Amino acid sequence: MTGEKGWGKSTLIKYVFFHLLSRRNTNILPIYISFNKLIAEFDYKDYDRFKAPFYKCLLDRIRHYTKGYLSDYQSDFWQYIKKFPVHSDFATQCELLDQLELSNVITSNKKLDRFSTLVSKELLLNETIFDSLRYFAEKKGIKPIIIFDDLDPLSYDFLKYLFSESYGISHNYPFQVVLSFRPSTYQHIKRVATFDAINPLEMEMRAPDCDSYLSNSLDKLKQELSSSNDVTIQISNKELQPNDIKTFIDKYCRVILSKDAREFLASVSGNDLRVYKKLIRIY
């Protein structure tokens, strides 16, 4: 997904994310990952260090959603992963524990203790965490979608790594990845050697209609004022009386919706809704 700063990329993504989370009986599991607060925690100068922050952010979020059966030793998830080659040693050790219990060499409690040790080792593997999403998709019929947001401040080298690595993971596991960029950032991503082979689906956002945003916001304000008696407005630390509030709002709307005001706001904001809203609050 591409769009200029302030065009509403994150707003749209978060709206869809929370909408899907709030729905019951949905067959989609959205996993939202924002790098906005994590950028300063890592040093990206060394290319070899890209892997650590990328997988830490990704795997921590996946664990948040799959911890229910990852932490349950009785879950059939641990039987499910035995069929994959990367977990062959785990499968062999589990089979040995079963044989020892049947032969009365160890008790059930001792077997559980040893099994918990095996599980702890498997949880250190990235593949185990990704397999938890595979399990989610195959056994629960729920398709995970991983959303990476707030990527633009990252270095271009890190973004190229993230782009290629996330494609590789989504190619090996049953989930999709959504990436959000500004157009200028996306142009650098297109220089990745494998870009044409990956051929991602592109969604380009349009510039927001600031006039419509303003008109709709003011209409909503008027509706809320008309339906509530508990409204307070202060101007220069002076609180308006209830009878003066409607008069003030009407005059404010006439000024802010005037042609001169709308042209000024559009020109200075450059269709950036964040700047647009800030200008409205100031002027």
Side-chain angles (χ1 to χ4, degrees):
M1 177 185 293
T2 62
E4 295 290 353
K5 179 181 178 181
W7 281 17
K9 298 185 299 300
S10 294
T11 300
L12 176 60
I13 286 174
K14 290 175 183 177
Y15 174 82
V16 174
F17 170 73
F18 287 112
H19 174 71
L20 290 173
L21 280 183
S22 64
R23 289 181 58 188
R24 295 182 178 180
N25 303 321
T26 182
N27 60 349
I28 296 176
L29 172 65
I31 300 175
Y32 179 79
I33 303 171
S34 170
F35 279 81
N36 196 32
K37 298 180 179 179
L38 301 170
I39 295 171
E41 296 182 13
F42 304 105
D43 182 1
Y44 303 109
K45 295 179 182 179
D46 187 346
Y47 187 86
D48 291 336
R49 296 184 184 180
F50 291 167
K51 183 175 181 179
F54 171 75
Y55 277 99
K56 182 183 187 305
C57 295
L58 176 58
L59 297 178
D60 282 352
R61 292 306 296 163
I62 294 176
R63 289 188 186 95
H64 175 76
Y65 290 98
T66 61
K67 61 184 177 183
Y69 47 87
L70 285 178
S71 60
D72 182 5
Y73 297 157
Q74 305 299 321
S75 169
D76 60 357
F77 167 72
W78 298 109
Q79 298 297 322
Y80 167 80
I81 66 170
K82 291 178 183 178
K83 64 182 180 180
F84 300 112
V86 70
H87 304 294
S88 59
D89 185 59
F90 173 73
T92 300
Q93 294 297 322
C94 288
E95 184 177 348
L96 177 60
L97 285 179
D98 290 338
Q99 293 173 357
L100 291 175
E101 183 185 28
L102 288 173
S103 303
N104 294 320
V105 176
I106 59 174
T107 63
S108 297
N109 288 337
K110 192 67 175 179
K111 175 188 173 183
L112 184 59
D113 289 341
R114 293 189 181 182
F115 179 71
S116 65
T117 300
L118 294 177
V119 167
S120 298
K121 291 181 179 179
E122 288 302 296
L123 286 173
L124 297 176
L125 300 176
N126 292 349
E127 291 84 357
T128 302
I129 311 305
F130 287 128
D131 280 330
S132 68
L133 281 187
R134 192 204 302 268
Y135 173 83
F136 223 96
E138 293 184 8
K139 298 297 184 178
K140 307 292 185 179
I142 298 176
K143 185 171 185 176
I145 297 180
I146 297 178
I147 305 164
F148 290 106
D149 196 15
D150 298 315
L151 299 175
D152 294 281
L154 299 172
S155 72
Y156 290 134
D157 286 337
F158 183 87
L159 288 173
K160 291 174 184 177
Y161 170 84
L162 185 149
F163 178 78
S164 299
E165 194 72 7
S166 59
Y167 168 76
I169 295 170
S170 64
H171 186 72
N172 294 324
Y173 295 92
F175 57 76
Q176 291 181 319
V177 174
V178 177
L179 305 172
S180 172
F181 301 112
R182 296 171 193 162
S184 58
T185 304
Y186 189 50
Q187 291 304 313
H188 286 271
I189 297 298
K190 287 185 174 182
R191 298 174 188 172
V192 174
T194 55
F195 180 86
D196 290 336
I198 294 175
N199 191 27
L201 178 65
E202 300 177 15
M203 175 183 172
E204 183 178 353
M205 295 191 68
R206 298 177 180 177
D209 185 343
C210 293
D211 272 0
S212 296
Y213 167 79
L214 178 60
S215 298
N216 292 335
S217 298
L218 291 175
D219 287 342
K220 183 177 180 181
L221 174 62
K222 290 180 179 179
Q223 291 175 6
E224 292 179 353
L225 289 173
S226 63
S227 61
S228 175
N229 294 321
D230 186 19
V231 177
T232 301
I233 294 181
Q234 286 188 340
I235 303 176
S236 301
N237 296 323
K238 179 182 179 181
E239 184 173 319
L240 293 182
Q241 297 301 314
N243 294 335
D244 298 327
I245 290 179
K246 184 179 183 304
T247 302
F248 168 77
I249 292 298
D250 288 339
K251 290 181 178 179
Y252 176 79
C253 289
R254 283 200 300 270
V255 172
I256 202 70
L257 291 174
S258 68
K259 181 181 178 181
D260 289 343
R262 286 186 285 122
E263 288 180 351
F264 166 78
L265 290 169
S267 176
V268 176
S269 67
N271 290 318
D272 184 332
L273 276 179
R274 297 173 191 168
V275 176
Y276 193 87
K277 289 187 284 187
K278 185 178 180 179
L279 290 171
I280 292 174
R281 288 194 296 269
I282 294 175
Y283 296 103

